[in-house]
Amino acid sequence: KVNLAATGYAVEDFNSNSGLLTVKGDEKYVGAEITVTAVDERYNLIDTAVIKVANGASELAFATKTAEVKVNNKIRVNVVDEDGNVVALGNNQDKDGIVDISYVILDKPEGARVFASTVSGSEDHVFTDGYFDMNLTSNQIGNVAVQAVLKYTAPKGGNEAANVVKYYTGTQIFAVGNGSAGDVVVMSINSNEIVINDAKATIDAAPIVKNDRTFVPFRALAEAFGAEVAYDEATQAVTAELNGVKVVMTIGSATYTVNGAEKTMDVAPFINGSRTMVPVRFVAEAFGIKVIPTYDENGATADILFNL
């Protein structure tokens, strides 16, 4: 026998036998913590867990952006709130709650065979842990876009005539590679956060949209892929070298060079604060980096995914 207890202002009800916890519905309790304690008196064992009260679930978020070709990749998909916190949708007692998960392959390399499915049994974790696992396979190297859709039928409560059905969705572009999928970098418009191979970091200049063009900080993007970057203050030229490719751009000039060959952009780099901002496609494609933008509900650029 294990004795259970829960403490915290956000506790609406707690069953000390089953561990079923109900949280108060008032939004003021979002962010509050509940401490659950388990005691086994016979063996003199005790443990505690702290549960954070999150906002209601809003979408699905994939735990990685890379996959290996010709391998059945197991990828974690989390149910998250608007702040990115993982949210459990509730218990599955008496099988009143029902989860259905489906997938849509939005994009893939030409001729590729791509399959996505749910790891058997992992959907049960949606109720208690807020996640499920997806199998993803592709027989070709390239970028694969997958949309996951979770249909959650919640148990009806009180005198409700029918169960409540909710949908949660999320889309991810995966860089599928052989062994190592290559570097994947994600930047967001007006955000100083950059994600490099799933690791988050901070940059001192955020990508922006100017005159319908997306500009990113040259040094931050180049160094994220391991390039060597130098700036000549006298000529206002910025130089980056990566994998034998040397790119030189000059502030205020639409002309740039790739390994000495002169090329022309339709816009020119400029200084924003103390950082050189460059048009994203020209600099990325000069190094052979693929650029994949994502858009918000208004059609504006939201994130830019770079894959080398």
Side-chain angles (χ1 to χ4, degrees):
K1 291 287 185 178
V2 175
N3 298 316
L4 299 171
T7 57
Y9 291 113
V11 176
E12 176 74 27
D13 186 53
F14 182 74
N15 187 317
S16 60
N17 294 317
S18 66
L20 179 62
L21 171 67
T22 304
V23 178
K24 293 177 181 178
D26 196 317
E27 290 186 357
K28 70 181 181 181
Y29 293 107
V30 172
E33 294 183 343
I34 296 173
T35 301
V36 179
T37 304
V39 179
D40 185 330
E41 295 181 348
R42 179 178 179 182
Y43 296 103
N44 196 29
L45 300 174
I46 185 171
D47 198 10
T48 61
V50 177
I51 300 173
K52 182 179 180 180
V53 180
N55 274 306
S58 62
E59 60 182 349
L60 303 179
F62 295 81
T64 184
K65 301 177 181 64
T66 61
E68 190 171 349
V69 69
K70 297 181 180 179
V71 168
N72 190 15
N73 298 273
K74 182 179 178 182
I75 296 171
R76 178 65 48 86
V77 185
N78 293 314
V79 184
V80 299
D81 67 3
E82 60 187 18
D83 300 315
N85 297 308
V86 178
V87 180
L89 293 183
N91 75 91
N92 195 23
Q93 287 190 340
D94 301 323
K95 298 296 180 181
D96 287 335
I98 301 173
V99 163
D100 293 307
I101 302 169
S102 58
Y103 305 92
V104 180
I105 308 301
L106 299 175
D107 192 23
K108 63 181 180 178
E110 184 176 355
R113 295 193 300 274
V114 178
F115 302 96
S117 62
T118 304
V119 175
S120 179
S122 72
E123 62 269 21
D124 290 341
H125 289 283
V126 169
F127 299 102
T128 55
D129 304 298
Y131 75 84
F132 59 91
D133 292 316
M134 177 186 73
N135 288 318
L136 178 65
T137 60
S138 174
N139 69 335
Q140 290 189 28
I141 292 173
N143 290 288
V144 172
V146 180
Q147 181 183 37
V149 180
L150 187 154
K151 177 185 177 183
Y152 174 55
T153 304
K156 60 184 178 182
N159 298 320
E160 294 181 16
N163 291 344
V164 176
V165 178
K166 298 181 179 180
Y167 288 89
Y168 307 99
T169 185
T171 301
Q172 183 61 61
I173 300 170
F174 294 94
V176 179
N178 192 358
S180 173
D183 290 325
V184 177
V185 175
V186 179
M187 291 182 174
S188 300
I189 299 299
N190 298 323
S191 173
N192 290 83
E193 182 179 271
I194 183 174
V195 180
I196 305 172
N197 295 330
D198 298 326
K200 294 182 179 180
T202 301
I203 53 179
D204 55 7
I208 62 173
V209 175
K210 181 179 180 181
N211 297 330
D212 296 326
R213 292 289 186 271
T214 300
F215 290 82
V216 298
F218 191 21
R219 180 178 293 274
L221 176 62
E223 290 183 346
F225 287 102
E228 295 184 2
V229 182
Y231 178 67
D232 187 331
E233 189 171 354
T235 62
Q236 290 195 310
V238 58
T239 302
E241 294 189 52
L242 175 66
N243 297 333
V245 178
K246 181 178 180 180
V247 177
V248 181
M249 292 186 172
T250 304
I251 304 302
S253 173
T255 301
Y256 67 108
T257 62
V258 179
N259 286 344
E262 191 172 282
K263 298 179 179 295
T264 303
M265 302 176 282
D266 57 0
V267 290
F270 65 93
I271 296 290
N272 185 27
S274 60
R275 292 304 176 196
T276 302
M277 306 297 290
V278 295
V280 61
R281 288 196 177 276
F282 293 99
V283 64
E285 291 174 359
F287 289 118
I289 299 170
K290 187 169 183 179
V291 181
I292 305 172
T294 62
Y295 304 95
D296 61 21
E297 63 274 10
N298 298 317
T301 302
D303 303 312
I304 316 106
L305 183 147
F306 304 93
N307 177 213
L308 179 59

